[in-house]
Amino acid sequence: MMKHTIYISLLFLLIGGSACQKEDDLTPRGEKNNWFAPAIDATDAESVLRRKFYDDTDCYLLFNDTLRHEYQGTDENGNPYYLTELLAMEWTITGTTSRRYVYDYLTDWSQKQQVTQFLKDVLLPYIKNVLPFSVFPVNGIDQYINPNGEWVYKGTSLMCINSRCMVIDVSGLWNLSQEGQISFAQKLCCLKILGDWGADVSDPTFYYSLYNHPCYDFFTSSLGYAVYDYDKSWLFGITLGEGEDGLCELGFIINPYEDYTPSALEDAISYITMCLSMTEEEVREKYGTYPTVMEKYNIIKPLVSETGIKF
């Protein structure tokens, strides 16, 4: 009986050892290629440019939203089929948006070189602490929505962003002066901050999606959201701020339209810009007599400071 016990124990040890050995030999079978980077053996000018951009910045550079399109063989009918992976900017960590995007690619080599220099020298130094995984400059972003089961054109967007990429419409870049490029980069920084907070900056009512974010209170302070994009005639009887500050008593620090109040996006960008370009003393000196402005500033200032972005 003792011998049988010993033999059985040895058998279990052998089986266990064999199983462990087999597990040790297992290797991951997932994809090993990085589809955001150019092929390792690619020597064309664009691949060299993109590779150097990553080496210099730690951020991938894309000029197309098709990450891969690989021939897989033929199907049962003899037709070729491919494995295709797209950038898919409608996907987020929590799901998908109800929007789709169509891009106007950069095709001119000189524009690709110019935008690469702009990204490296002007934009990315601002956002070095919150770099996107990749950046995709284009000459236009068209957005489509599907309210009733059919995709319809909604409009254009300056930026769309998710955890994999930041897509930027750079069509306005080509004739900008150095100062103009700086202003453009700073506006993109503001959109990047909002995008990192979870806002779909291509949606005019994006702030509703920020309901659980601390910045949501910014959009509902005092009269706040009730007067975004609103006909100013409705505001009759409300005392408005004087001079260039326009609607300060309603909490707005910009007054871009004659008949309508700023949009939520314009409002947020104006405050983020203020937080990044003015000291607290300067803000209080200029807007200290406007309680709603100061309330909104006190909400958004610490959130902007956490990004590490500075102008």
Side-chain angles (χ1 to χ4, degrees):
M1 184 66 180
M2 180 63 72
K3 285 184 179 180
H4 290 164
T5 302
I6 293 173
Y7 289 152
I8 291 172
S9 299
L10 288 173
L11 180 62
F12 277 116
L13 285 172
L14 288 171
I15 293 173
S18 175
C20 289
Q21 184 63 41
K22 288 180 181 178
E23 287 184 6
D24 291 341
D25 290 340
L26 292 177
T27 55
R29 297 188 180 275
E31 298 291 350
K32 296 181 180 180
N33 293 324
N34 179 0
W35 305 112
F36 285 82
I40 295 175
D41 56 352
T43 58
D44 60 282
E46 182 174 309
S47 294
V48 172
L49 180 72
R50 292 175 57 210
R51 190 177 296 117
K52 187 175 189 314
F53 182 86
Y54 179 79
D55 290 341
D56 292 343
T57 66
D58 248 4
C59 174
Y60 293 104
L61 175 64
L62 305 175
F63 290 116
N64 195 295
D65 65 326
T66 301
L67 299 179
R68 57 172 164 163
H69 183 65
E70 299 175 337
Y71 176 73
Q72 299 294 300
T74 57
D75 60 21
E76 57 187 15
N77 297 316
N79 299 314
Y81 69 94
Y82 298 84
L83 177 61
T84 302
E85 181 178 355
L86 300 177
L87 196 55
M89 292 303 296
E90 66 271 15
W91 284 92
T92 66
I93 293 176
T94 57
T96 61
T97 68
S98 59
R99 295 171 183 268
R100 297 292 183 271
Y101 302 97
V102 176
Y103 312 107
D104 182 5
Y105 301 135
L106 298 182
T107 57
D108 183 81
W109 174 241
S110 64
Q111 287 187 349
K112 292 181 180 180
Q113 291 177 303
Q114 184 178 343
V115 76
T116 300
Q117 208 63 43
F118 164 76
L119 293 171
K120 287 172 59 175
D121 295 346
V122 186
L123 177 60
L124 294 195
Y126 282 129
I127 58 176
K128 60 186 177 182
N129 295 322
V130 285
L131 278 177
F133 182 74
S134 65
V135 60
F136 176 26
V138 296
N139 261 327
I141 305 173
D142 288 333
Q143 47 181 309
Y144 293 79
I145 59 174
N146 189 358
N148 300 306
E150 181 178 352
W151 291 104
V152 294
Y153 178 71
K154 176 66 175 177
T156 61
S157 180
L158 183 60
M159 176 187 289
C160 53
I161 186 170
N162 66 11
S163 60
R164 302 210 301 176
C165 190
M166 180 172 69
V167 186
I168 307 169
D169 177 359
V170 294
S171 59
L173 173 66
W174 314 125
N175 297 315
L176 290 179
S177 64
Q178 184 63 27
E179 287 186 359
Q181 290 188 25
I182 291 173
S183 296
F184 180 52
Q186 291 180 347
K187 182 174 183 178
L188 295 176
C189 287
C190 296
L191 293 174
K192 172 74 166 60
I193 289 173
L194 288 168
D196 287 347
W197 289 346
D200 178 2
V201 293
S202 64
D203 181 357
T205 60
F206 70 91
Y207 53 93
Y208 289 122
S209 65
L210 296 173
Y211 182 77
N212 292 318
H213 192 279
C215 73
Y216 184 72
D217 290 340
F218 169 89
F219 298 101
T220 58
S221 292
S222 189
L223 293 175
Y225 71 98
V227 292
Y228 283 135
D229 292 311
Y230 215 100
D231 185 343
K232 286 181 184 176
S233 64
W234 177 83
L235 302 176
F236 179 79
I238 297 178
T239 303
L240 302 180
E242 297 179 354
E244 63 178 7
D245 301 325
L247 301 169
C248 285
E249 297 213 5
L250 295 179
F252 295 115
I253 59 173
I254 55 171
N255 187 10
Y257 309 114
E258 182 177 345
D259 299 321
Y260 286 83
T261 57
S263 68
L265 186 60
E266 290 167 330
D267 186 32
I269 288 176
S270 69
Y271 272 84
I272 293 173
T273 301
M274 178 171 68
C275 291
L276 294 174
S277 59
M278 296 175 64
T279 66
E280 185 168 343
E281 291 73 19
E282 290 171 334
V283 172
R284 295 193 180 281
E285 180 179 351
K286 186 171 185 178
Y287 298 109
T289 57
Y290 299 105
T292 306
V293 171
M294 296 311 301
E295 179 185 351
K296 292 169 72 174
Y297 171 77
N298 289 331
I299 291 170
I300 206 168
K301 172 63 176 178
L303 301 175
V304 173
S305 297
E306 288 175 2
T307 68
I309 295 176
K310 294 181 180 179
F311 289 168

